[in-house]
Amino acid sequence: MTATTTASSPPAATGGHPQRWLILGVICLAQLTVLLDNTVLGVAIPSLTSELNATTSDIQWMINAYSLVQSGLLLTAGNAADRYGRKKLLAAGLALFGLGSLAAGLAESTGQLIAARAGMGVGGALLMTTTLAVVMQIFDDSERVKAIALWSTVSSLGFAAGPLIGGVILNHYWWGMIFLINIPVALIGLVAVLKLVPESKNPQGERPDLLGALLSTIGMASVVYAIITGPEHGWTSAEVLVPAAIGVVVLGAFALWELRIPYPMLDMHFFRNQKFIGAIGGSLLVVFGMGGSLFLLTQHLQFVLGYEPLEAGLRMAPLALTIVGLNLTGIGPRLVVKIGTPAAVLIGMTLVSGGLLSIAVLGGGTDGSYWGMLLGLVLMGAGIAVASPAMANAIMSAIPPEKAGVGAGINGTLAEFGNGLGVAVLGAVLNARFAALVSVTAASLPAALAAAGSDAERVEISDAFASGLQTSQLVGAISVFVGGLLAAALLQRADRSERSERSERSERSEQRAAEGSGGSVAPSSVDPAPVEPSSVDPASVESEKKAAAE
């Protein structure tokens, strides 16, 4: 008679927290407030240029001061959330973000506004790390891909809907209202978070790495400063090479510091995981292309094609509508589950690249044509709807669940740094091309147009700006496409490796069962090594099951 033994296992989860979808709505509201603030500035550039005498460099620093401070603090905030409680950090972030918005709305100079934006970045860092971490805690594997897709939709919506919302506000109020509008939303979000969101934390969490945060912030700021000032001072000038060198050295010191300390902001060993590398590379390049593209397109629509802020915002809306439509109907997450993460990333990033190419070739001129731009925005929206949730899920599934805050910090760092870098790099490409075509001393395009002596000179300046826009979008398209190929290849290799490991574990388990039933070997003596539950991508596993069934 053959004896059989069954190991007890916990009951399967049936969906997670009972109020998970309501909680998801609350944290998405908080997330949307932060992300809108990044892109709403785009349509306010003409107002800021005229009312605060802001130069192009000032405008870029209004955007990058927020992004770089937030990027530098995200990992530390993630560690703190894991240790002290994600609900507490989420509430604190909303409060700080509201106070920073008040200071920005009342700013009377470019310096004050840049400083207020940097302060808002602190609150934004607390918010960005906790929202995705909470999603990972309240949803189980059966619904997590769908929940992340909705969360990712809100993230993309924040980038895309900013110009539209900013246009509506600026059509009726002065520029300060684009910040003051955040205050009632932050208050509503704060009350809802305190009332609905459950507390979660890792009782054995890690200390925040303050020196690491300082090093990463200085390093990122130095590199982006060099990129922003390159066209103005020359790429080989001391004004560019010195901050670039400082940035590289400080970021290198950051990496070495993270390897040496027991409680790093960023565990550098994560970079041995091919899935992690592929996902972060793809995420960075998608946001790089989208952030830089939107920053330039809003200026093109207003300065070159002559649209009012609201008109410009409405013409940017198809990007957001495409993302929302594909993900709210479930088409995006279903596609990710059906074809798997690598294929979803490749298809999504190819569409984003095609959108940038369409804008460059068909929609970047001065003839008033909008259809090429519309096609590009729809293609970008479709690509983002497919690729972004797939990459966010891959990043989070490659990190242990107890470090969900750190994982969210990494994901948020990529989004913020990619956006800032996209604005800086594509803006630098545009400026370099613009300067090569026309010789002007003005610090911004509106100033150059105002200083033009004739209609012919104004047309020449507009054509030069449009040519610079086309060149920058082509650079973005190539970067996103190449990055998509590389990310998909790494994710595919990681999936093959995981399938091989699962097969070996299954064989060892069957061998143990056979030997145990014969009474020759104790089960504990051949126990397979435990597996991190986070090492398996639910989307890829579901895709394998569907393929096997077919």
Side-chain angles (χ1 to χ4, degrees), residues 5 13 29 31 55 63 153 176 203 217 220 263 265 273 279 325-326 353 355 362 404 419 422 428 435 507:
T5 58
L29 176 65
Q31 175 97 341
T55 65
I63 296 171
T153 297
T217 302
M220 290 178 182
Y263 303 108
M265 284 172 50
N273 186 318
L326 289 177
S353 177
L362 302 175
N419 182 61
E507 291 176 3

Side-chain angles (χ1 to χ4, degrees), residues 254-274:
F254 166 74
L256 292 175
W257 172 254
E258 297 302 292
L259 285 169
R260 294 180 58 185
I261 61 173
Y263 303 108
M265 284 172 50
L266 176 60
D267 186 347
M268 304 304 289
H269 297 97
F270 287 150
F271 291 95
R272 296 177 180 174
N273 186 318
Q274 292 179 349

Side-chain angles (χ1 to χ4, degrees), residues 17 20 23-24 27 85-87 90 129-139 151 197-200 396 404-405 408:
H17 193 280
R20 58 195 179 279
I23 294 170
L24 178 64
I27 61 178
R86 297 169 185 118
K87 177 178 180 176
L90 182 55
T129 54
T130 47
T131 52
L132 183 55
V134 171
V135 170
M136 296 299 293
Q137 299 300 317
I138 62 176
F139 287 92
W151 174 89
V197 175
E199 184 60 281
S200 64
M396 297 303 291

Side-chain angles (χ1 to χ4, degrees), residues 12-21 135 137-144 147:
T14 58
H17 193 280
Q19 291 183 299
R20 58 195 179 279
W21 295 109
V135 170
Q137 299 300 317
I138 62 176
F139 287 92
D140 70 359
D141 288 347
S142 66
E143 294 181 324
R144 192 168 292 149

Side-chain angles (χ1 to χ4, degrees), residues 107-463:
E108 297 180 351
S109 68
T110 57
Q112 291 177 5
L113 183 53
I114 291 171
R117 292 274 297 160
M120 292 171 68
V122 178
L126 297 176
L127 288 171
M128 291 289 288
T129 54
T130 47
T131 52
L132 183 55
V134 171
V135 170
M136 296 299 293
Q137 299 300 317
I138 62 176
F139 287 92
D140 70 359
D141 288 347
S142 66
E143 294 181 324
R144 192 168 292 149
V145 174
K146 181 179 180 182
I148 290 178
L150 293 174
W151 174 89
S152 182
T153 297
V154 173
S155 299
S156 301
L157 183 62
F159 284 111
L164 176 59
I165 294 175
V168 172
I169 293 173
L170 291 173
N171 215 37
H172 298 89
Y173 305 99
W174 102 108
W175 63 265
M177 283 300 296
I178 64 176
F179 298 109
L180 297 181
I181 196 69
N182 293 335
I183 297 174
V185 179
L187 288 173
I188 294 170
L190 180 59
V191 173
V193 164
L194 293 175
K195 193 171 184 64
L196 293 173
V197 175
E199 184 60 281
S200 64
K201 61 182 177 180
N202 176 13
Q204 297 176 336
E206 300 171 351
R207 291 197 304 263
D209 177 15
L210 298 181
L211 180 58
L214 179 64
L215 290 173
S216 63
T217 302
I218 293 174
M220 290 178 182
S222 299
V223 170
V224 174
Y225 177 80
I227 295 170
I228 291 175
T229 57
E232 180 182 354
H233 298 293
W235 295 104
T236 59
S237 66
E239 290 88 344
V240 174
L241 293 179
V242 170
I246 291 173
V248 171
V249 170
V250 172
L251 289 176
F254 166 74
L256 292 175
W257 172 254
E258 297 302 292
L259 285 169
R260 294 180 58 185
I261 61 173
Y263 303 108
M265 284 172 50
L266 176 60
D267 186 347
M268 304 304 289
H269 297 97
F270 287 150
F271 291 95
R272 296 177 180 174
N273 186 318
Q274 292 179 349
K275 179 192 293 184
F276 180 77
I277 291 293
I280 65 172
S283 295
L284 183 64
L285 285 168
V286 164
V287 181
F288 172 90
M290 184 172 66
S293 174
L294 293 182
F295 172 71
L296 299 176
L297 284 179
T298 51
Q299 296 183 65
H300 180 75
L301 286 167
Q302 293 179 78
F303 294 148
V304 177
L305 301 184
Y307 293 117
E308 294 296 322
L310 179 57
E311 294 175 323
L314 287 171
R315 281 163 177 77
M316 296 294 291
L319 173 62
L321 294 175
T322 303
I323 296 170
V324 172
L326 289 177
N327 277 339
L328 287 185
T329 58
I331 296 175
R334 281 200 299 271
L335 184 62
V336 173
V337 170
K338 183 174 182 179
I339 67 177
T341 299
V345 168
L346 179 60
I347 292 173
M349 294 187 69
T350 300
L351 288 171
V352 173
S353 177
L356 291 169
L357 182 64
S358 174
I359 292 170
V361 176
L362 302 175
T366 58
D367 59 354
S369 173
Y370 173 67
W371 297 110
M373 188 177 294
L374 174 62
L375 174 63
L377 292 171
V378 171
L379 288 174
M380 286 177 66
I384 292 163
V386 173
S388 290
M391 289 183 294
N393 185 62
I395 290 173
M396 297 303 291
S397 67
I399 292 175
E402 65 271 13
K403 295 186 177 181
V406 175
I410 294 170
N411 190 73
T413 298
L414 295 172
E416 292 304 318
F417 185 57
N419 182 61
L421 198 61
V423 169
V425 172
L426 298 188
V429 171
L430 185 151
N431 290 338
R433 177 66 176 163
F434 180 74
L437 293 175
V438 295
S439 178
V440 294
T441 57
S444 65
L445 177 64
L449 291 172
S454 64
D455 290 341
E457 190 174 348
R458 278 188 286 273
V459 170
E460 182 184 7
I461 292 172
S462 295
D463 286 340

